[in-house]
Amino acid sequence: QVQLEESGGGLAQAGGSLRLSCSSSGRSAVSINVMGWYRQVPGKQRELVATISDGAGVNYSDSVKGRFTISRDRLRKTVFLSMNSLEPEDTGVYYCYYKDRRIETWGQGTQVTVSS
């Protein structure tokens, strides 16, 4: 099994910044994986924000390109999302994502609220 723990969410002003962190743990975690972030707001389906893997590199939603940056540690256990130039439309619950050849799992989510 793999457990994911998110942190760093909170309240920011439009134009401000936040940095999210997600740490994976568990004996089943492997270094060959895909990790990333998705977000969801009431009335909408969960949508891609960004993903990162050694094979495919990084992938960003068009709505966050140029503003958000995804990265992770050398052991491929922790993923970060640096969010700059935040907009009210970025408000939502952000979920950490992990996938390898065996399993796919999600974190519990962290709230991000951007005020105008």
Side-chain angles (χ1 to χ4, degrees):
Q1 62 178 351
V2 176
Q3 296 81 43
L4 304 176
E5 182 68 28
E6 304 109 327
S7 63
L11 177 65
Q13 288 283 107
S17 300
L18 288 172
R19 187 181 189 233
L20 306 183
S21 177
C22 173
S23 296
S24 63
S25 62
R27 300 179 69 177
S28 296
V30 297
S31 60
I32 303 175
N33 60 54
V34 179
M35 298 186 72
W37 295 91
Y38 289 69
R39 67 188 180 191
Q40 188 170 26
V41 299
K44 295 183 179 179
Q45 65 183 139
R46 191 174 299 183
E47 66 175 1
L48 168 75
V49 177
T51 58
I52 185 168
S53 67
D54 290 339
V58 298
N59 180 39
Y60 294 100
S61 166
D62 288 341
S63 65
V64 306
K65 286 181 179 178
R67 301 188 298 118
F68 292 7
T69 302
I70 190 170
S71 61
R72 61 180 179 173
D73 72 323
R74 63 181 296 177
L75 298 178
R76 309 303 190 250
K77 292 184 177 181
T78 304
V79 65
F80 306 94
L81 186 69
S82 295
M83 304 184 293
N84 300 311
S85 301
L86 283 164
E87 304 169 351
E89 292 75 19
D90 296 319
T91 294
V93 178
Y94 283 67
Y95 295 90
C96 182
Y97 172 80
Y98 171 99
K99 182 183 185 299
D100 62 28
R101 288 187 174 181
R102 309 157 301 153
I103 62 171
E104 181 179 50
T105 192
W106 300 87
Q108 66 178 353
T110 183
Q111 177 71 42
V112 171
T113 302
V114 183
S115 61
S116 60

